[in-house]
């Protein structure tokens, strides 16, 4: 009886605090019907607001202290700040500035890194050339062959006097050995878990993740994308090989914007602020307009949802989205349907071979409503598709860590890079066309013509998506 009363009281808390109606319904039903399971699950997994994290971009600290000297004035003086010309550009610029609290910069270069070999060759080469510092943050850091290569690179640079900061998510990297961590610390590398559960208010909250993947070297070059540090990302997985993923290498003033969320994460994890280089420098020949959008549960608004809604609504001719986890909420799905109905070429590319069955089943539930609006959903056939890439019209590309699901929109700390440049967009287009050539168009019949028990399973998985 006590657990049923506790479940009922907790369901009131869930209804009052859960950010989406779908999530509130899912929690309320489970808390009242299965309280012995749902009550501890809710207090561990049901919270959606991350307490205690100091978003430095929201205070004067970044602008007024020695931590960051990335000011609008300096960017304007060096002609590195985007000056919007049209009403549409002014509106988009205002939105991005208010969501990210970071400037939209010019004078950048962007290089597409397709799959793990190209990505980690570029990252390790840049680390080898580091002169001042290396910032290295990943959701998953494994003590395997790739992890050992990274460790050797860190120790080499630390021995040369380069400051090396390594940050990892303790849940994503739960298998990382204590010996790996101790060897790095003994070698002069500063390494820390993100410490998601530190602080009284977060002690039992296991639903938050730091899903960012950031590498910055000397404030001059940065890497962001879908890869983690593990041999599977180099194509060594017993089931899901070949592993398909994408990163982007950026140079120019936007690199300093990418440093900002790392500093915030490091400050949360360790209570310290690393002294870094904050002088914006134009990349020679750089013609890419770039913006960095860090999102997460410490934001006042749902910055991820708002940004991606804007991205969908801004598409005029083409909207190609690649996401391994496609479980959009109602507002994102409605925006996709509206885009297709107004004539935009909306294509969604998801994996044929899932790493989580419940995600695969949830995705099937969208096939019918996608077909009715004219959205084409493709399934990538070889291996596992893990990249998070958007192509909008003929000049705008998004590459980052966020999936199109509730976790990325509301529970994870994520980072998305926006690049505006037609030549770079052409490279992304060619990459995605090659991926579509290895894919098959999904049919709504997979859902509509399935058995009732299977359709029920699919709908239950979709209903539970907000608490997965």
């Amino acid at each position: 009886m006590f657990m049923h009363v506790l479940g009922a009281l907790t369901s009131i808390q869930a209804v009052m605090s859960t950010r989406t109606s779908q999530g509130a319904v899912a929690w309320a039903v489970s808390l009242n019907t299965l309280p012995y399971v749902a009550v501890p699950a809710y207090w561990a997994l049901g919270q959606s607001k991350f307490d205690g994290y100091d978003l430095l971009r929201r205070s004067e600290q970044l602008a007024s202290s020695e931590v960051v000297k990335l000011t609008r004035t300096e960017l304007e003086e060096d002609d590195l700040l985007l000056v919007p010309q049209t009403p549409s550009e002014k509106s988009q610029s205002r939105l991005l500035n208010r969501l990210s609290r970071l400037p939209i910069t010019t004078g950048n270069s962007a290089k597409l890194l397709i799959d793990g070999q190209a990505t980690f060759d570029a990252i390790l080469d840049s680390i080898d050339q580091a002169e001042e510092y290396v910032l290295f943050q990943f959701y998953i850091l494994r003590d395997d062959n790739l992890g050992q290569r990274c460790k050797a690179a860190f120790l080499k640079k630390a021995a040369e006097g380069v400051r090396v900061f390594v940050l990892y998510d303790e849940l994503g990297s739960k298998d990382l050995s204590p010996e790996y961590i101790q060897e790095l610390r003994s070698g002069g590398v500063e390494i820390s878990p993100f410490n998601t559960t530190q602080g009284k208010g977060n002690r039992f909250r296991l639903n938050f993740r730091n899903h960012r993947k950031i590498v910055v070297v000397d404030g001059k070059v940065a890497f962001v994308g879908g890869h983690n540090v593990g041999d599977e990302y180099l194509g060594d997985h017993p089931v899901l090989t070949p592993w398909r993923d994408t990163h982007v290498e950026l140079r120019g003033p936007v690199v300093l914007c990418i440093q900002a969320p790392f500093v915030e994460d490091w400050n949360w994890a360790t209570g310290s602020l690393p002294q870094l280089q904050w002088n914006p420098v134009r990349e020679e020949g750089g013609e890419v307009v770039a913006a960095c959008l860090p999102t997460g549960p410490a934001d006042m608004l749902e910055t991820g949802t708002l940004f991606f809604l804007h991205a969908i609504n801004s598409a005029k001719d083409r909207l190609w989205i690649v996401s391994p986890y496609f479980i959009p909420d109602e507002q994102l799905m409605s925006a996709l349907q509206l885009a297709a109905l107004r004539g935009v070429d909306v294509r969604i590319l998801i994996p044929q071979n899932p790493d989580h069955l419940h995600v695969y089943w949830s995705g099937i539930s969208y096939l019918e409503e996608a077909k009715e609006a004219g959205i084409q959903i493709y399934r990538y056939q070889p291996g596992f598709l893990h990249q998070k890439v958007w192509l909008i019209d003929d000049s705008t590309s998004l590459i980052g860590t966020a999936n199109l699901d509730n976790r990325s929109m509301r529970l994870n700390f994520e980072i998305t890079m926006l690049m505006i440049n037609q030549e770079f967009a052409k490279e992304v287009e060619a990459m995605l066309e090659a991926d579509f050539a290895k894919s098959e168009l999904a049919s709504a019949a997979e859902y509509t013509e399935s058995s009732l028990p299977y359709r029920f399973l699919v709908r239950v998985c979709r209903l539970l998506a907000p608490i997965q």
Side-chain angles (χ1 to χ4, degrees):
M1 175 62 72
F2 171 77
M3 285 301 295
H4 285 277
V5 173
L6 186 58
L9 293 175
T10 304
S11 69
I12 296 174
Q13 160 73 15
V15 169
M16 296 299 293
S17 63
T18 304
R19 291 189 177 187
T20 67
S21 58
Q22 186 181 2
V25 169
W27 278 117
V29 170
S30 58
L31 286 164
N32 283 284
T33 56
L34 299 168
Y36 291 93
V37 175
V39 169
Y42 175 78
W43 291 109
L45 305 173
Q47 306 300 299
S48 59
K49 195 65 180 175
F50 194 80
D51 298 322
Y53 182 100
D54 186 13
L55 194 68
L56 299 176
R57 285 165 286 135
R58 202 161 56 218
S59 70
E60 293 300 318
Q61 188 171 358
L62 282 181
S64 62
S65 74
E66 291 300 312
V67 178
V68 177
K69 294 182 179 178
L70 182 61
T71 68
R72 181 174 296 273
T73 300
E74 290 176 35
L75 290 167
E76 288 177 343
E77 289 176 352
D78 295 334
D79 195 27
L80 296 173
L81 185 69
L82 176 67
V83 180
Q85 303 297 321
T86 67
S88 175
E89 289 177 351
K90 291 178 181 178
S91 176
Q92 174 164 291
S93 179
R94 187 182 303 112
L95 172 72
L96 290 174
N97 278 316
R98 294 186 70 179
L99 284 180
S100 70
R101 306 281 177 150
L102 292 167
I104 306 173
T105 61
T106 62
N108 303 288
S109 69
K111 180 180 179 182
L112 200 59
L113 298 172
I114 302 174
D115 291 332
Q117 196 65 52
T119 297
F120 285 101
D121 282 353
I123 288 174
L124 290 170
D125 181 64
S126 289
I127 291 174
D128 188 56
Q129 298 178 44
E131 297 177 350
E132 298 180 39
Y133 60 85
V134 174
L135 312 179
F136 191 91
Q137 175 179 4
F138 281 86
Y139 172 62
I140 296 174
L141 175 58
R142 298 196 194 283
D143 184 4
D144 55 12
N145 290 331
L146 179 57
Q148 287 292 323
R149 288 173 59 193
C150 292
K151 181 178 71 173
F154 301 151
L155 292 172
K156 176 177 180 291
K157 298 313 295 186
E160 295 173 4
V162 174
R163 292 172 296 138
V164 181
F165 304 89
V166 178
L167 187 62
Y168 62 91
D169 185 273
E170 62 269 33
L171 291 173
S173 307
K174 60 184 182 299
D175 297 327
L176 189 62
S177 67
E179 293 78 14
Y180 186 100
I181 296 169
Q182 185 55 47
E183 188 173 351
L184 286 176
R185 287 179 176 156
S186 298
V189 175
E190 296 192 50
I191 180 171
S192 173
F194 182 62
N195 287 323
T196 310
T197 57
Q198 69 175 327
K200 293 181 179 179
N202 298 316
R203 188 172 300 163
F204 301 108
R205 297 182 178 182
L206 306 178
N207 56 333
F208 299 113
R209 309 281 191 277
N210 195 312
H211 197 239
R212 291 170 180 161
K213 295 94 174 173
I214 296 172
V215 178
V216 177
V217 176
D218 294 341
K220 298 177 181 178
V221 57
F223 301 86
V224 173
H227 289 92
N228 285 294
V229 180
D231 287 346
E232 65 267 38
Y233 292 84
L234 294 178
D236 186 12
H237 190 282
V239 178
L240 299 176
T241 295
W243 193 283
R244 178 71 188 88
D245 220 323
T246 299
H247 245 63
V248 62
E249 174 185 324
L250 293 146
R251 296 175 184 268
V254 75
V255 173
L256 304 185
C257 299
I258 299 169
Q259 286 188 164
F262 181 93
V263 168
E264 291 172 343
D265 288 348
W266 187 263
N267 183 49
W268 164 263
T270 68
S272 63
L273 293 167
Q275 297 301 305
L276 307 177
Q277 188 281 117
W278 296 100
N279 298 314
V281 178
R282 176 185 296 275
E283 174 66 12
E284 185 176 353
E287 298 182 352
V288 176
V289 173
C292 172
L293 186 81
T295 60
D299 297 348
M300 296 296 291
L301 300 172
E302 286 189 9
T303 48
T305 300
L306 292 172
F307 173 72
F308 288 112
L309 279 172
H310 168 71
I312 295 168
N313 292 332
S314 69
K316 296 179 175 62
D317 302 308
R318 169 172 57 190
L319 179 62
W320 294 358
I321 300 173
V322 188
S323 177
Y325 311 119
F326 179 71
I327 318 175
D329 61 17
E330 291 181 7
Q331 57 188 335
L332 286 168
M333 190 62 195
S334 295
L336 290 169
Q337 289 175 316
L338 284 169
L341 289 170
R342 66 175 183 263
V344 177
D345 174 16
V346 180
R347 303 187 199 178
I348 312 294
L349 183 57
I350 60 177
Q352 170 65 38
N353 304 313
D355 60 341
H356 300 293
L357 270 176
H358 60 85
V359 174
Y360 179 83
W361 289 328
S362 298
I364 288 176
S365 69
Y366 294 94
L367 293 177
E368 184 178 20
E369 53 199 286
K371 177 188 175 183
E372 292 301 321
I375 299 170
Q376 298 180 84
I377 298 181
Y378 289 82
R379 286 213 178 93
Y380 185 76
Q381 298 299 306
F384 180 60
L385 181 78
H386 190 255
Q387 61 178 326
K388 303 93 166 56
V389 177
W390 292 45
L391 180 60
I392 305 169
D393 298 333
D394 63 352
S395 63
T396 302
S397 309
L398 307 178
I399 299 176
T401 67
N403 299 300
L404 207 56
D405 64 358
N406 178 71
R407 174 159 290 284
S408 283
M409 295 301 111
R410 299 180 177 89
L411 300 176
N412 287 350
F413 290 87
E414 306 279 7
I415 182 170
T416 300
M417 301 307 304
L418 178 146
M419 286 77 58
I420 303 175
N421 179 266
Q422 287 193 357
E423 291 304 313
F424 183 73
K426 286 180 181 178
E427 295 180 25
V428 175
E429 177 184 31
M431 177 185 73
L432 296 185
E433 284 181 337
D435 290 334
F436 281 119
K438 299 175 183 177
S439 306
E440 294 182 0
L441 187 63
S443 170
E446 293 181 40
Y447 175 74
T448 59
E449 297 181 11
S450 297
S451 66
L452 178 60
Y454 184 75
R455 282 184 282 130
F456 180 75
L457 170 66
V458 164
R459 297 300 297 189
V460 169
C461 287
R462 177 168 170 173
L463 178 65
L464 296 176
I467 61 175
Q468 288 175 3

